[in-house]
Amino acid sequence: YSSSAPISSHLAAGLIASKAGLPWVADFRDPWIGNAFAKRPRGLHAYLQLRIERRIVDLADRVVFPTRGVAEGYAARYPEAADRFVVIPNGYDRSDLPSQGARPAAAHTDGRFHVAYGGSIYGDRELEILLDGIELLVSRRPDVRDLLAVDFIGWLNLRNQAVARSYATPERLGPMLSFAGFLPHREAMARLTAADALLQLIGDGPNRGQIQGGKLMEYVGLDRPILAVVPEGDARALLRELDWGICADPTPAGVAEGLERLLAAPLPTRRADPEGRYDRVNLAMRLAAVLDEVVDERTGPVDV
């Protein structure tokens, strides 16, 4: 079993499987060719990447993907291998979540509605679109300046650091924003649990609809309301399936509308995933079934 990134894990596993005569499951947690955040290779580099990816897909007994959109993209590129493709999504681990998702009493005492984002922001436009949307909402409803706080927990690239500094001035959105940077996972999860709602942020662009994000699954496990500022695609499909959260277009107008809906929405009275479809215990059982299948195909069923 191999999981990428890095893609070299598949190369090592493929070599071992070939030499030892063992079945092999290759798990792409992110797409390689066509990754929305990767610089597009050209010429010989692009040719070699495609050759290597094709060889991985051809030789693996099963190829696992985290979303249906990613699997469909690979099936379009390698239709002859599509019957060996499996979708096992990201999930949440209940034992890793503070108080099983319960929000602490009096989590914030400043009277504001706190929306938290937990994770890195890789894209160059997402943060600016979000903050433009907050400014648009404030221009329409000045009272929101004293009602809303947005807390960022995680890494920003250099451009987004400059964007954050520009918007965090007192005359703009300063009192409404906080940027904590990287924190230990337990502390970051505690801050997310303390929030009134959680934010997923994905800009529009090629292949961005295939992005669901591990953080979105942790949000689901925390049972907090979710504002998903995302393009049409796998993230929206997940929230529709669960009938959870508010989806907004990744534009300033979409952000302003989504935040206004979020502030007016009643608090949920149930769990986000009551059946545990995305609990990692159940997802691990699905992966175990895939491992059993590839062994049985090579050796026949084994009585345990």
Side-chain angles (χ1 to χ4, degrees):
Y1 170 79
S2 55
S3 179
S4 65
I7 209 73
S8 55
S9 64
H10 293 321
L11 304 184
L15 179 62
I16 294 169
S18 175
K19 296 296 184 183
L22 296 173
W24 171 29
V25 175
D27 193 338
F28 284 84
R29 305 317 301 162
D30 290 299
W32 190 25
I33 306 299
N35 188 304
F37 290 113
K39 184 177 180 180
R40 181 172 297 181
R42 298 182 182 278
L44 180 61
H45 188 188
Y47 170 77
L48 290 174
Q49 278 198 0
L50 189 61
R51 283 288 301 272
I52 294 169
E53 185 184 73
R54 176 178 289 279
R55 185 159 180 81
I56 293 167
V57 169
D58 284 346
L59 295 181
D61 295 80
R62 293 291 187 280
V63 186
V64 178
F65 302 101
T67 70
R68 188 168 302 281
V70 174
E72 289 173 351
Y74 271 76
R77 194 153 61 245
Y78 309 112
E80 70 284 353
D83 62 339
R84 292 183 281 110
F85 292 173
V86 180
V87 176
I88 301 179
N90 294 305
Y92 55 83
D93 186 343
R94 289 277 182 210
S95 66
D96 201 30
L97 303 179
S99 303
Q100 297 270 321
R103 186 170 187 264
H108 291 284
T109 59
D110 58 5
R112 293 176 181 267
F113 186 95
H114 280 255
V115 179
Y117 178 92
S120 301
I121 301 180
Y122 299 98
D124 287 337
R125 285 283 296 147
E126 284 86 344
L127 181 60
E128 191 169 4
I129 288 169
L130 176 74
L131 299 181
D132 280 345
I134 297 174
E135 285 196 327
L136 179 60
L137 180 59
V138 169
S139 72
R140 296 173 183 169
R141 287 186 49 186
D143 62 309
V144 169
R145 183 178 294 277
D146 298 318
L147 294 177
L148 179 66
V150 184
D151 307 317
F152 296 89
I153 305 158
W155 174 84
L156 304 178
N157 67 17
L158 290 175
R159 186 182 188 281
N160 285 321
Q161 290 175 33
V163 169
R165 288 192 297 270
S166 174
Y167 284 80
T169 58
E171 61 272 14
R172 297 191 75 177
L173 300 176
M176 303 175 65
L177 306 178
S178 71
F179 295 90
F182 272 131
L183 294 174
H185 185 257
R186 184 177 297 275
E187 184 179 346
M189 295 304 295
R191 291 200 184 198
L192 295 176
T193 305
D196 297 286
L198 303 173
L199 173 68
Q200 174 70 315
L201 184 59
I202 302 171
D204 213 345
N207 299 324
R208 296 291 181 93
Q210 295 180 355
I211 301 170
Q212 192 174 83
K215 69 173 68 64
L216 184 61
M217 305 315 303
E218 287 193 322
Y219 290 177
V220 168
L222 287 169
D223 298 314
R224 302 260 67 76
I226 295 171
L227 173 61
V229 181
V230 298
E232 191 61 50
D234 287 320
R236 289 195 180 210
L238 168 74
L239 294 174
R240 288 193 192 108
E241 176 193 336
L242 296 173
D243 190 22
W244 192 264
I246 293 170
C247 295
D249 292 334
T251 64
V255 169
E257 179 188 359
L259 283 170
E260 194 161 29
R261 290 171 57 199
L262 181 67
L263 290 169
L267 290 175
T269 57
R270 63 172 177 87
R271 306 207 86 152
D273 181 24
E275 298 175 4
R277 280 173 282 184
Y278 297 98
D279 189 314
R280 284 183 186 157
V281 171
N282 296 324
L283 298 177
M285 291 172 63
R286 289 170 60 179
L287 178 58
V290 171
L291 301 181
D292 286 341
E293 287 173 7
V294 297
V295 170
D296 290 349
E297 288 173 4
R298 293 286 189 99
T299 65
V302 177
D303 293 330
V304 178

